[in-house]
Amino acid sequence: MSVMMGSPRRTDEGHPDPDAQSDRGTCEHETSSPRYSDEEFDLEDSYTLRNSDDEYESKISSPRSSATEYNRTDPLHGRMQGTYDATNYYPYDAAEDALDSMTSSPPDREESHESTDFAPSESEGTFEVSDVKSRGKEACPLGDISEPNCKELSPKSSDEEKGKSIQPYPRTTWYRCEKKGPPPLPFLAIQLEFIRRDGNDRLKKNDYDGALARYTACITKGQSSLLDPSTSPTCKMLLKRILKLAYSNRAQMHLSGKLWEEVLNDTAKALKFDRHHIQSLIRRGKALHSLQQYKQACQAFGAALDRNPNNLQVAAALHESMTSHHQSVSGKYDLSHFLLYSGPPPECSDYVGPVVIKEVAHAGRGLFVTKKVEAGSLLIVCNALAISSISSSSTNSDLSVRLARLIMKQLKASKRWAHQMYYLTSGKPEQDNQEIPDMKMFIPGSDWCPDPSKDVSLSFLDIARRVTLNTFDASRALFDGQKLESEGKTEPVISSGVWVLPSFLNHSCVPSTGIMFVGKAMFIRAARNLEPGEELTTSYTACYKPNRRKSIRKWSFECRCERCLQDAMLEPYLDELRRELDANYAHFSSKKSTKSEKMDAVIKTIDMIGRVESAIESLPLVLDAQRKNWVRVSFMAVYSNKFHMARTGTDLGQTIQALQQLAAIEQSIYGGGVQYASLRTSSQLLGYVRRKFGKNSEDFRQTLEQVQLEGFNQKRIDQPDGCGEGGKLCPSEEDETDVHICKHFMSYKIETVELEEKRQRPKALVTTVTSLNTRIAIGTKNVMKYLNETIQGSEETEKEIE
Ligand SMILES: C[S@@+](CC[C@H](N)C(=O)[O-])C[C@H]1O[C@@H](n2cnc3c(N)ncnc32)[C@H](O)[C@@H]1O
């Protein structure tokens, strides 16, 4: 068991480990990031001068398209004189196109002479800035556009004529043109457009601070000028367009920094100027998706898709948000590819089932079920707020600090996360308010609103304290490639993460929930049938450890679960055995490599199991089967050793027996939780037999029948009315995607049944698997559906498996 931090961290089954520390925070593996990279469908090349926003707009907006068309054929001048309203003394389309035609570096003189359409007319004032090139951009202090430094620049701009101070920027020869043409672009608009584009350039070079300063300068000046009655109508029109793009560009910048709420603020403003602005809609959709507001994300992507129905990436994003929305309301996840073929973990949205947070006597607050649930029912899916990995040679406090840092950053992105973190306990009762948080806060897309009167700001220390007490071991949440990816190292790592809602689970040595990970998403299921109002618990430490009660004390509480109470009574009778096992724990739990060590392990294992079994029989209390297994669980290491011995030996019967025994013991603790592992093993077995002997072989048919038969019998026992016709199971419609297999509980043992080793004996393996199935009380509900999917895998899938 890994010991990671100075304070408790949940280990193994995702339970808090008192030796270590758990964390759920922002991290190397940041959570809630969009499922698509910005590059994937960054339709607007924000960095090009004539960006696709503009191009797109010109395509979709018919009035504008026709106006542009018209401009080409009819001299702007004539149009102006003939048809334009006197108040709009400069044609908006033409002005916009003039802005579009700007380039970031000053065009050379000849080019500027070619811009006849937009040449300023003498009557409106020319724009002579021939000297600006020599001054260079750097000389211009951005953000200070009121600097009265422009006298040498363009004395004839209309704004300046009104006595306004104008920043000497841009320094270019844009509109130097002797030909007669339309009136000049308002100088202010040129300035701000230039600043905006400079922001884009900076963003392109990853100079975020510089980009932010430019966008903000552009927005601030633009907004104030919009309100200024002296700003001309043409200028206002142009400013609106510039502001739309500046807000949208700044949103893109915040998107890169994962500041989701900032993205929402900026896109909302951009959309006020143009509610169809496609890039703002997409950026908004991404942020909403990351904030798990899937329904609203669908609306944003849908609106973007309406504008550009051919954009497959937006269509994919919309589909993804729709899937997430469905997951978050139904709790149905299709994990088949991940579980069957060990593919990368799919993104899973949060889901909150029939669960509430309530006060618990002597334990602060805890989670409870609100209705009757069957073992295996999905109760919660929660994505990590943050996960961090660190080399195992580092200290636990290093990991804590890293997590706290990541969380600190994450909290800036969402008020919801900030509130969630606020409600976690810091382990300091005098500092904790122990309020019961509103469950809506954890439900994706709920109408939860932050309470403005509540100050939920947390200092770094506050966060670090919470991290210390509320982290889970995250090693199972990551797949290998992710480990230490930030550092490019492959050495052993320790990983911790913070999952907020699951942090309200209190400890029990006979937990009522089972946890599995699908990537960063933690799935919490009922480990047994639960009645309404029953508390949901998890085990903070590996509950197979002989010294688990000592471990729990590190969390500053005494566990009073039924198993602990039984152990306390049996202590005098089992104490010696337990101490012995405690001393030899490493010996029993590690695989011995040398022959003599192996032999030693065999002798000790056989001896120890004999003593445990006779102690159980001679106890002064009569224990039922489950309670006997609770005793055995404390000695799991020796039973597990027996299984490994049997497996390395040749007698398959022994292996099966040992495996069955393990399953039974473990089931006493985790109930229905083990079903998923057996299901996975069944699937693997069938896959193996299919590949080895062929889909139409007798071996495969028999294997399948045997597995099906066991599943069928089990179903009949559990749910007499649940069988389909003709002796086959018919999973109900709603179970269709409810295909879950635990990679967790039994998996680390059962999955060690290496199919390759048993190449010649698939039927014997079937016996192993089906025996397990019969011993596992519940959980065949989806087996047949799942196996059928496995069997009917396409040719491509089969190749993939090979
Ligand atoms: C991760 S928190 C669990 C949620 C916590 N009860 C709350 O109100 O936020 C862990 C803390 O809960 C309390 N706790 C958990 N399980 C307990 C148990 N079985 N008995 C007493 N206290 C428990 C301990 O104070 C422990 O430090």
Side-chain angles (χ1 to χ4, degrees):
M1 186 198 60
S2 56
V3 176
M4 321 242 304
M5 300 190 188
S7 44
R9 189 182 74 100
R10 302 170 206 201
T11 58
D12 281 336
E13 291 74 38
H15 314 314
D17 178 1
D19 301 329
Q21 213 166 357
S22 49
D23 42 286
R24 156 209 322 224
T26 54
C27 59
E28 287 85 12
H29 321 291
E30 282 195 31
T31 60
S32 303
S33 50
R35 301 169 193 194
Y36 24 76
S37 67
D38 295 339
E39 292 72 33
E40 271 177 82
F41 67 93
D42 188 10
L43 304 180
E44 172 182 314
D45 177 7
S46 329
Y47 318 123
T48 56
L49 292 167
R50 182 179 177 100
N51 60 38
S52 56
D53 270 348
D54 312 340
E55 286 176 67
Y56 181 73
E57 257 177 29
S58 68
K59 278 174 207 145
I60 57 172
S61 154
S62 50
R64 202 180 148 209
S65 301
S66 57
T68 312
E69 196 67 28
Y70 177 73
N71 286 344
R72 278 196 209 118
T73 53
D74 202 16
L76 194 57
H77 233 82
R79 225 182 123 206
M80 216 180 90
Q81 288 162 357
T83 58
Y84 266 74
D85 185 306
T87 50
N88 292 342
Y89 64 88
Y90 196 91
Y92 180 45
D93 294 330
E96 277 201 309
D97 287 343
L99 283 179
D100 290 345
S101 72
M102 283 169 62
T103 57
S104 60
S105 44
D108 62 36
R109 246 180 138 73
E110 275 168 34
E111 273 174 4
S112 71
H113 278 272
E114 282 161 20
S115 313
T116 51
D117 278 355
F118 311 112
S121 77
E122 277 167 6
S123 61
E124 295 287 337
T126 48
F127 184 58
E128 296 282 351
V129 285
S130 55
D131 63 331
V132 292
K133 253 186 182 175
S134 60
R135 298 176 60 204
K137 266 190 190 181
E138 280 63 38
C140 175
L142 271 170
D144 182 14
I145 52 179
S146 60
E147 191 190 72
N149 190 19
C150 53
K151 283 173 200 140
E152 328 140 45
L153 240 186
S154 172
K156 292 169 195 165
S157 88
S158 56
D159 282 339
E160 204 175 353
E161 278 167 8
K162 287 175 195 155
K164 284 188 190 168
S165 59
I166 295 173
Q167 187 194 13
Y169 197 80
R171 298 179 172 82
T172 182
T173 55
W174 295 112
Y175 297 101
R176 179 177 171 78
C177 181
E178 280 80 43
K179 289 187 189 175
K180 285 203 171 185
L185 281 170
F187 188 73
L188 180 67
I190 299 172
Q191 266 191 320
L192 295 189
E193 176 67 356
F194 209 102
I195 294 171
R196 181 184 78 82
R197 290 176 188 203
D198 191 40
N200 289 354
D201 287 343
R202 300 213 174 229
L203 189 55
K204 195 177 173 187
K205 291 173 194 150
N206 298 328
D207 171 9
Y208 294 102
D209 289 343
L212 181 64
R214 271 124 191 105
Y215 293 142
T216 307
C218 172
I219 287 168
T220 313
K221 180 68 184 167
Q223 287 286 22
S224 65
S225 304
L226 267 189
L227 298 174
D228 186 344
S230 66
T231 310
S232 72
T234 301
C235 186
K236 279 191 180 171
M237 278 191 290
L238 291 172
L239 286 180
K240 281 181 188 168
R241 178 177 174 279
I242 293 165
L243 281 169
K244 171 188 81 180
L245 295 177
Y247 276 122
S248 187
N249 293 153
R250 196 168 69 174
Q252 170 64 34
M253 203 198 71
H254 290 315
L255 207 55
S256 322
K258 299 189 194 306
L259 294 171
W260 315 124
E261 283 176 358
E262 301 290 340
V263 177
L264 295 189
N265 288 340
D266 277 351
T267 51
K269 296 206 176 105
L271 291 167
K272 268 192 179 169
F273 291 114
D274 173 3
R275 68 192 173 91
H276 298 303
H277 185 227
I278 191 162
Q279 286 310 322
S280 298
L281 287 168
I282 292 170
R283 285 163 191 164
R284 193 169 180 77
K286 287 181 185 180
L288 286 164
H289 185 101
S290 300
L291 290 168
Q292 300 204 323
Q293 294 178 31
Y294 301 120
K295 210 171 170 184
Q296 295 92 322
C298 287
Q299 284 162 358
F301 287 133
L305 204 61
D306 280 349
R307 308 293 289 170
N308 185 0
N310 297 328
N311 193 312
L312 295 181
Q313 282 164 324
V314 178
L318 174 62
H319 176 75
E320 212 164 347
S321 289
M322 284 166 72
T323 306
S324 298
H325 174 64
H326 180 255
Q327 289 175 348
S328 68
V329 294
S330 68
K332 306 283 177 200
Y333 299 78
D334 181 2
L335 306 176
S336 48
H337 199 267
F338 168 59
L339 295 167
L340 271 182
Y341 310 122
S342 301
E347 197 91 20
C348 300
S349 76
D350 282 8
Y351 163 73
V352 180
V355 173
V356 286
I357 300 174
K358 285 203 304 203
E359 211 170 300
V360 189
H362 313 298
R365 300 147 304 170
L367 288 167
F368 292 81
V369 272
T370 54
K371 64 174 201 186
K372 196 175 171 148
V373 293
E374 280 185 9
S377 303
L378 186 62
L379 301 171
I380 294 172
V381 178
C382 178
N383 280 280
L385 186 58
I387 299 177
S388 183
S389 299
I390 199 167
S391 148
S392 55
S393 56
S394 312
T395 66
N396 292 327
S397 48
D398 288 343
L399 187 50
S400 274
V401 168
R402 277 169 84 129
L403 261 177
R405 265 199 216 116
L406 291 165
I407 290 178
M408 190 119 194
K409 186 179 159 212
Q410 191 85 325
L411 299 190
K412 286 185 194 142
S414 156
K415 289 192 189 72
R416 191 184 284 252
W417 296 337
H419 274 73
Q420 290 181 359
M421 194 70 196
Y422 168 82
Y423 281 98
L424 287 185
T425 179
S426 68
K428 302 246 171 231
E430 66 284 2
Q431 288 173 8
D432 279 353
N433 55 32
Q434 296 282 316
E435 281 173 70
I436 308 287
D438 181 354
M439 279 307 285
K440 279 185 188 168
M441 198 189 294
F442 302 99
I443 301 174
S446 72
D447 58 358
W448 175 84
C449 285
D451 177 357
S453 64
K454 199 171 210 65
D455 176 14
V456 295
S457 54
L458 297 174
S459 68
F460 183 77
L461 200 63
D462 292 334
I463 294 175
R465 283 208 189 101
R466 282 166 173 75
V467 164
T468 300
L469 209 76
N470 292 285
T471 50
F472 286 80
D473 178 8
S475 47
R476 286 170 196 276
L478 305 175
F479 54 100
D480 290 341
Q482 274 186 311
K483 287 188 182 164
L484 277 192
E485 60 188 356
S486 54
E487 293 158 40
K489 290 178 191 164
T490 51
E491 63 186 78
V493 293
I494 47 175
S495 304
S496 277
V498 174
W499 283 262
V500 181
L501 187 55
S503 291
F504 288 95
L505 288 168
N506 285 319
H507 165 87
S508 167
C509 299
V510 194
S512 60
T513 64
I515 291 174
M516 71 180 231
F517 289 100
V518 178
K520 294 165 202 157
M522 183 188 283
F523 280 63
I524 301 178
R525 296 174 175 283
R528 49 179 179 263
N529 294 345
L530 298 172
E531 293 300 318
E534 259 192 76
E535 186 176 2
L536 300 177
T537 52
T538 187
S539 177
Y540 285 10
T541 185
C543 46
Y544 316 111
K545 280 175 22 176
N547 62 352
R548 73 168 203 288
R549 292 176 69 210
K550 213 166 103 193
S551 299
I552 292 298
R553 285 188 198 120
K554 292 181 194 167
W555 292 79
S556 316
F557 67 87
E558 194 77 33
C559 181
R560 292 191 183 85
C561 72
E562 280 187 278
R563 189 175 155 214
C564 282
L565 295 179
Q566 174 176 302
D567 277 14
M569 278 196 285
L570 300 181
E571 196 113 342
Y573 308 97
L574 297 172
D575 210 26
E576 196 191 326
L577 271 177
R578 195 170 283 127
R579 271 201 310 258
E580 200 176 319
L581 178 62
D582 204 358
N584 287 306
Y585 185 71
H587 162 82
F588 281 112
S589 53
S590 71
K591 285 183 191 168
K592 299 292 173 185
S593 50
T594 69
K595 242 183 174 179
S596 68
E597 280 171 334
K598 266 185 190 164
M599 192 49 97
D600 200 30
V602 171
I603 293 165
K604 281 203 168 148
T605 300
I606 292 168
D607 174 52
M608 184 66 102
I609 288 179
R611 286 163 62 200
V612 173
E613 290 296 329
S614 58
I616 288 172
E617 293 311 323
S618 58
L619 288 172
L621 301 170
V622 182
L623 304 181
D624 63 18
Q626 185 181 42
R627 284 178 175 265
K628 282 182 185 174
N629 274 337
W630 286 357
V631 176
R632 292 186 183 107
V633 170
S634 301
F635 296 90
M636 193 70 158
V638 285
Y639 289 92
S640 173
N641 214 22
K642 182 178 158 193
F643 166 68
H644 284 294
M645 278 160 40
R647 202 164 62 81
T648 40
T650 48
D651 188 346
L652 196 64
Q654 273 279 327
T655 311
I656 293 166
Q657 210 185 19
L659 194 59
Q660 286 172 349
Q661 194 174 16
L662 272 180
I665 295 172
E666 196 140 2
Q667 199 197 340
S668 296
I669 294 293
Y670 289 120
V674 290
Q675 63 181 292
Y676 303 109
S678 97
L679 180 54
R680 183 181 172 92
T681 313
S682 306
S683 314
Q684 284 177 337
L685 173 68
L686 280 175
Y688 165 72
V689 177
R690 185 185 69 228
R691 289 196 303 283
K692 179 155 175 61
F693 300 98
K695 220 185 314 199
N696 302 320
S697 69
E698 184 61 12
D699 285 284
F700 180 66
R701 196 188 59 75
Q702 280 185 14
T703 311
L704 178 63
E705 268 179 14
Q706 210 163 346
V707 173
Q708 278 181 335
L709 186 68
E710 293 296 337
F712 176 65
N713 286 340
Q714 190 57 48
K715 179 89 176 182
R716 272 225 303 233
I717 294 160
D718 294 339
Q719 298 172 4
D721 302 332
C723 350
E725 286 169 17
K728 283 203 156 195
L729 286 175
C730 295
S732 68
E733 274 294 297
E734 65 167 33
D735 290 336
E736 205 162 314
T737 54
D738 188 15
V739 178
H740 318 285
I741 298 171
C742 185
K743 285 189 87 180
H744 194 54
F745 296 114
M746 281 296 285
S747 57
Y748 69 100
K749 293 189 177 67
I750 296 177
E751 282 173 9
T752 54
V753 179
E754 285 146 19
L755 298 171
E756 290 305 313
E757 253 180 53
K758 316 288 184 304
R759 201 172 286 269
Q760 304 307 318
R761 308 181 67 176
K763 282 173 208 163
L765 260 178
V766 173
T767 314
T768 310
V769 171
T770 51
S771 305
L772 266 172
N773 277 342
T774 53
R775 284 182 164 271
I776 292 163
I778 307 150
T780 46
K781 214 168 168 186
N782 297 311
V783 171
M784 301 326 302
K785 166 76 179 162
Y786 199 79
L787 295 181
N788 282 335
E789 278 172 8
T790 319
I791 296 153
Q792 288 156 8
S794 66
E795 288 309 305
E796 287 81 355
T797 315
E798 288 194 18
K799 268 183 214 144
E800 206 176 308
I801 301 167
E802 298 295 335

